[in-house]
């Protein structure tokens, strides 16, 4: 089962009732290339401003005693150059690409464990990097993300720590430097984070996926002064395992689709009319050890391809998109939250409300996308709160509905979470 968070006013839902494969093979294997030893993370971006996406992989050098960032420059035909290896601290566990010094060139940011450091590599001349002012993190990091948390036009750095169960905020200066701002203690162990302006307020918020948990946390940092931050938060427990997906038009129909890595498969969940997902899924078998994927047009044909990283074999594989016309470029800030079905759990779910989210609604749909029941819809400031709801199997008029599968849809600003239930 899935929940989506999107921008602006459109909502996408996915109703899971089995899988239907496309009649033609959407993706075909392309280039495969070896990367650094024990690769831990991968990201994509145009580092040399040539209009072709490049790939950065974080891992270890061949001796296994030093961290390394391997840059593979795209050639524009789906193949890549030999690696340009940059030595870093021990050992990079996540890597991001963004322009952190506002010069129009994307830079590289890596976090390291167990050295507990952040490496900033400034892009000086379209692919030539210089290390700048590395700094220590407050605890052992496991993931990182970037976003404008205080609406000052500068990217801030957010680092999560699994060992300490914390989020740490480092305020960006716009000169490739970051200063510690504050920390948020989490109830559960964080495994992944995503940052975006979900409330459409100009301020980025943090979505936290927890390790071995069905809960997601939404954290809203607020800068009260130059050295003081506060963190409002709410938790959503959908009673099933969540997966984080990337968003892009994969079948060239002008509608956003979701790409998710799930149980040894890359799954593409296709968007339909009115932003509705109705059981159209393309599944691509991968090695069960694949740990990361990215969407991008790697052969410059205007269609979104997929790169996957397998740390077990230390290779990156490219899958080329065989759809017809050109597709919309992916929005790397968008992400979907996809949930496994688990009908053994009760048809209840906790919903957290943050006062920064002005538009709040909760609705129930059937498997055709028809609205069955509207529980509430507000367009005003709300106090922080938490509540639970249990469905009794009736429609808007309290008339029992037929047996089958239904979907609850919760919307807070541009954050949309859905959960499949069964009557």
């Amino acid at each position: 089962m899935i929940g989506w968070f999107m921008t602006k006013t459109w909502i996408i839902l996915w109703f899971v009732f089995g899988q239907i494969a496309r009649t033609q093979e959407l993706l075909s294997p392309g280039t495969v290339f070896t990367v650094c030893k024990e690769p831990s993370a991968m990201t994509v971006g145009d580092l040399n401003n040539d209009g072709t996406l490049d790939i950065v992989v974080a891992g270890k050098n061949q001796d296994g005693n030093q961290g390394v960032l391997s840059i593979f420059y795209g050639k524009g035909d789906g193949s890549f150059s030999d690696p340009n290896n940059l030595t870093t601290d021990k050992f990079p566990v996540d890597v991001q690409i963004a322009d952190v010094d506002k010069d129009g060139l994307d830079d590289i940011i890596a976090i390291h464990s167990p050295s507990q450091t952040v490496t900033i590599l400034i892009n000086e001349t379209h692919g030539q990097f210089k290390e700048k002012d590395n700094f220590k993190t407050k605890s052992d990091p496991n993931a990182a993300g970037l976003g404008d948390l205080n609406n000052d036009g500068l990217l801030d750095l957010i680092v999560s720590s699994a060992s300490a169960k914390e989020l740490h905020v480092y305020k960006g200066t716009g000169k490739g430097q970051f200063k510690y701002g504050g920390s948020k203690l989490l109830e559960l162990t964080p495994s992944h984070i995503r940052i975006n302006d979900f409330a459409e307020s100009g301020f980025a918020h943090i979505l936290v996926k927890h390790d071995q948990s069905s809960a997601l946390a939404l954290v809203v940092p607020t800068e009260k002064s130059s050295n003081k931050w506060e963190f409002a938060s709410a938790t959503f427990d959908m009673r099933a395992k969540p997966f984080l997906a990337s968003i892009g038009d994969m079948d060239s129909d002008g509608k956003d689709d979701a790409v998710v890595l799930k149980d040894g498969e890359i799954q593409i969940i296709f968007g339909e009319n009115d932003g509705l997902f109705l059981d159209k899924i393309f599944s691509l078998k991968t090695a069960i050890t694949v740990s990361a994927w990215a969407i991008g047009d790697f052969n410059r044909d205007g269609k979104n391809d997929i790169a996957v990283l397998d740390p077990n074999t230390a290779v990156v594989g490219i899958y080329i998109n065989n759809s017809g016309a050109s597709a919309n470029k992916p929005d790397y800030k968008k992400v979907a939250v996809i949930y496994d079905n688990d009908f053994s759990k009760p048809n209840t779910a906790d919903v957290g409300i943050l006062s920064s989210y002005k538009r709040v609604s909760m609705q129930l749909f059937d498997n055709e996308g028809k609205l069955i029941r509207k529980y509430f819809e507000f367009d005003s400031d709300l106090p922080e709160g938490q509540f639970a709801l249990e469905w009794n199997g009736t429609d808007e008029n309290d008339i029992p509905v037929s047996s089958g599968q239904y979907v609850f849809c919760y919307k807070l600003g541009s954050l949309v979470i859905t959960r499949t239930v069964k009557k």
Side-chain angles (χ1 to χ4, degrees):
M1 110 120 256
I2 116 166
W4 289 89
F5 48 88
M6 294 292 161
T7 58
K8 306 305 177 186
T9 59
W10 47 274
I11 302 176
I12 296 183
L13 306 176
W14 174 35
F15 304 88
V16 185
F17 310 114
Q19 294 185 6
I20 300 175
R22 290 280 168 144
T23 56
Q24 65 176 12
E25 200 68 18
L26 180 66
L27 299 171
S28 60
T31 303
V32 177
F33 54 92
T34 301
V35 298
C36 49
K37 187 175 182 178
E38 297 183 38
S40 57
M42 175 180 67
T43 190
V44 301
D46 185 3
L47 293 172
N48 54 359
N49 275 15
D50 64 352
T52 300
L53 287 177
D54 312 308
I55 293 177
V56 180
V57 178
K60 298 180 180 179
N61 64 4
Q62 292 306 307
D63 294 332
N65 57 9
Q66 188 66 51
V68 68
L69 296 173
S70 296
I71 304 174
F72 299 86
Y73 291 105
K75 297 180 180 180
D77 59 358
S79 64
F80 294 82
S81 68
D82 292 335
N84 177 17
N85 291 324
L86 306 176
T87 300
T88 68
D89 283 349
K90 299 179 182 179
F91 290 104
V93 294
D94 201 2
V95 60
Q96 303 286 321
I97 291 176
D99 181 10
V100 296
D101 61 351
K102 297 182 73 67
D103 65 351
L105 300 175
D106 280 340
D107 311 300
I108 301 174
I109 304 92
I111 61 169
H112 311 88
S113 174
S115 62
Q116 298 184 201
T117 55
V118 176
T119 295
I120 310 296
L121 295 171
I122 296 298
N123 194 343
E124 291 194 315
T125 55
H126 302 287
Q128 298 299 315
F129 293 89
K130 181 179 180 181
E131 197 169 299
K132 182 179 180 69
D133 299 336
N134 294 352
F135 60 92
K136 283 276 188 179
T137 58
K138 292 297 180 179
S139 54
D140 194 19
N142 71 313
L146 292 153
D148 186 357
L149 299 177
N150 53 1
N151 198 18
D152 63 355
L154 306 176
L155 289 176
D156 307 304
L157 176 67
I158 301 90
V159 177
S160 66
S161 171
S163 59
K165 295 183 181 179
E166 288 179 334
L167 291 176
H168 304 293
V169 168
Y170 299 89
K171 183 179 177 180
T173 66
K175 299 179 181 180
Q177 298 168 316
F178 296 90
K179 297 180 179 179
Y180 175 72
S183 297
K184 164 68 175 177
L185 182 64
L186 301 170
E187 296 178 7
L188 301 169
T189 302
S191 59
H192 298 84
I193 59 175
R194 295 290 187 272
I195 296 99
N196 201 0
D197 180 13
F198 305 123
E200 301 172 345
S201 61
F203 297 84
H205 296 168
I206 307 167
L207 189 71
V208 184
K209 180 180 179 294
H210 300 291
D211 188 32
Q212 303 300 316
S213 172
S214 58
L216 293 167
L218 182 64
V219 180
V220 179
T222 303
E223 185 182 21
K224 295 298 184 181
S225 65
S226 59
N227 293 310
K228 182 175 176 57
W229 290 70
E230 293 183 357
F231 300 86
S233 64
T235 299
F236 309 88
D237 191 349
M238 296 294 102
R239 310 296 200 267
K241 183 180 179 181
F243 298 87
L244 298 183
S246 299
I247 303 300
D249 181 9
M250 299 303 297
D251 56 351
S252 304
D253 65 352
K255 302 179 181 67
D256 280 322
D257 309 308
V259 180
V260 65
L261 176 63
K262 185 177 179 183
D263 302 329
E265 288 185 342
I266 291 288
Q267 292 184 355
I268 300 174
I269 308 151
F270 296 100
E272 295 297 315
N273 292 332
D274 301 320
L276 199 66
F277 285 143
L278 293 175
D279 192 26
K280 294 185 183 296
I281 304 173
F282 176 86
S283 294
L284 176 70
K285 290 289 186 182
T286 64
I288 196 68
T289 49
V290 165
S291 63
W293 80 103
I295 301 175
D297 180 9
F298 299 115
N299 59 351
R300 300 185 68 169
D301 64 352
K303 294 176 286 189
N304 295 316
D305 312 306
I306 298 177
V308 298
L309 170 65
D310 184 354
N312 188 52
T313 57
V315 300
V316 167
I318 305 297
Y319 290 91
I320 299 299
N321 193 326
N322 297 319
S323 63
S326 297
N328 297 326
K329 289 185 177 181
D331 185 340
Y332 295 109
K333 292 184 178 180
K334 293 180 182 178
V335 67
V337 184
I338 297 178
Y339 288 87
D340 271 344
N341 287 329
D342 187 351
F343 298 125
S344 66
K345 303 295 176 64
N347 292 336
T348 61
D350 294 327
V351 179
I353 295 177
L354 291 171
S355 59
S356 57
Y357 286 75
K358 295 185 177 182
R359 295 191 310 280
V360 181
S361 65
M362 179 174 176
Q363 298 173 325
L364 178 71
F365 296 86
D366 67 10
N367 63 345
E368 299 296 331
K370 178 184 176 182
L371 179 64
I372 299 299
R373 186 165 189 154
K374 182 184 292 185
Y375 284 89
F376 56 79
E377 188 167 15
F378 298 106
D379 192 11
S380 61
D381 286 317
L382 293 172
E384 276 189 48
Q386 199 92 5
F387 65 91
L389 179 140
E390 184 171 357
W391 180 46
N392 61 3
T394 62
D395 64 12
E396 189 79 22
N397 299 312
D398 293 325
I399 298 173
V401 298
S402 59
S403 298
Q405 297 181 86
Y406 296 83
V407 173
F408 279 112
C409 173
Y410 313 87
K411 183 176 182 184
L412 291 84
S414 63
L415 170 60
V416 177
I417 301 179
T418 67
R419 176 179 176 232
T420 298
V421 297
K422 188 175 183 180
K423 183 188 175 185

